[in-house]
Amino acid sequence: MRILLFHTNGHHVIQSCITKFPGGEIHVRLAPTPWVGVIKKIEIFARLNCSDDVMSLLLAVDAIRNMSEQPIPTHLTIPYFPYARQDRVCVRGEAFSAKVMAQLINGLNLESVIIWDPHSEVVSNLLNKVITIPQSDLFVHCPELINALQQNELILVAPDKGASLKTRTLHQQLQLTTPIIQASKNRDPVTGKIQSIKIDNDVSGKSLLIVDDICDGGSTFLNLAEKLKQAGSKRIFLFITHGIFSQGLAVFEGLIDRIYCTDSIKPQNAYPAANNLQVIGLYSIH
């Protein structure tokens, strides 16, 4: 977590000490600052990848407010919004997890909340004072893919109907002339396993770029890549905003030639070195 204090003489990073008690509770202590009383605003950049990260953020905001007797406008950037995929109740008895997470953030009463490429508009609608950075704005920092698309060396693939709108937005922004290849999938709502995949276009001999927001274990892309290979595609690339890669990168070998992702989940140097992965550093840009 990075905390920036903006004051009359500029800004600086305030150091935070985050520890855990033996019982499991998180403890946050901010370093003393000489700028209390002249702070204009505070900006927090936080990667929330686990429950401890969420609790650390909540405590840090409270610690910030305890530094000053006057309210300090506080802005938050969360590149990856936790529980974004759980944006509805699919089976009776489930929690509406995205809503619960949004309520925690809303309870902080922040001046603004910036998120990168949320899974759906549901998340944006649940958050107060939200600013959404769309995937198309993140994609512009990958010029080699843009050039390949505009030169018709790559063709965009929407991996499912949920990704169609974002893919069309990117297609229009880049003014591409080749049609989008649309895929669709059937998934078991209870187990989450993909039961079938359908491709609506001819992909024989073509090099393809699959674009989506999140890659966790990668089953969606692995199943799709296998289907595309069977249909005669030449090379397959993948651009995703949030690279979790819970099953590692080796699972993509032989199916996806190269993967591109942002540093929304962790810093560039925290990803394992791999020939098939390129991490785009956007931490300091957005």
Side-chain angles (χ1 to χ4, degrees), residues 118-164:
H119 186 62
S120 70
E121 291 184 355
V122 173
V123 171
S124 300
N125 293 334
L126 288 170
L127 285 167
N128 298 335
K129 301 179 181 178
V130 67
I131 300 170
T132 300
I133 307 297
Q135 186 183 57
S136 55
D137 283 7
L138 303 170
F139 191 87
V140 298
H141 298 283
C142 198
E144 63 185 274
L145 287 181
I146 293 174
N147 182 66
L149 286 167
Q150 292 179 335
Q151 296 297 319
N152 297 331
E153 296 169 3
L154 285 176
I155 299 175
L156 281 178
V157 178
D160 52 36
K161 292 181 179 178
S164 296

Side-chain angles (χ1 to χ4, degrees), residues 42-118:
I42 293 176
E43 291 185 358
I44 303 174
F45 188 105
R47 291 183 174 98
L48 305 182
N49 298 326
C50 65
S51 299
D52 284 354
D53 291 342
V54 175
M55 197 63 201
S56 296
L57 170 65
L58 301 179
L59 295 177
V61 172
D62 187 69
I64 287 168
R65 289 171 176 163
N66 288 335
M67 291 192 309
S68 173
E69 296 180 358
Q70 301 298 322
I72 304 173
T74 305
H75 304 262
L76 172 66
T77 295
I78 313 172
Y80 172 68
F81 188 82
Y83 301 100
R85 287 171 287 178
Q86 299 175 43
D87 57 1
R88 60 188 178 279
V89 176
C90 296
V91 180
R92 189 172 184 178
E94 288 183 341
F96 191 173
S97 305
K99 181 179 180 180
V100 173
M101 187 67 218
Q103 288 172 336
L104 287 174
I105 301 300
N106 290 340
L108 296 173
N109 294 317
L110 301 165
E111 291 298 311
S112 69
V113 178
I114 298 174
I115 55 176
W116 298 4
D117 187 19

Side-chain angles (χ1 to χ4, degrees), residues 227-253:
K227 188 80 172 180
L228 292 170
K229 291 282 189 181
Q230 291 172 355
S233 63
K234 185 178 179 181
R235 301 185 71 194
I236 299 175
F237 299 83
L238 171 65
F239 178 94
I240 41 98
T241 303
H242 311 294
I244 299 173
F245 307 127
S246 58
Q247 300 302 312
L249 295 168
V251 296
F252 300 99
E253 293 179 3

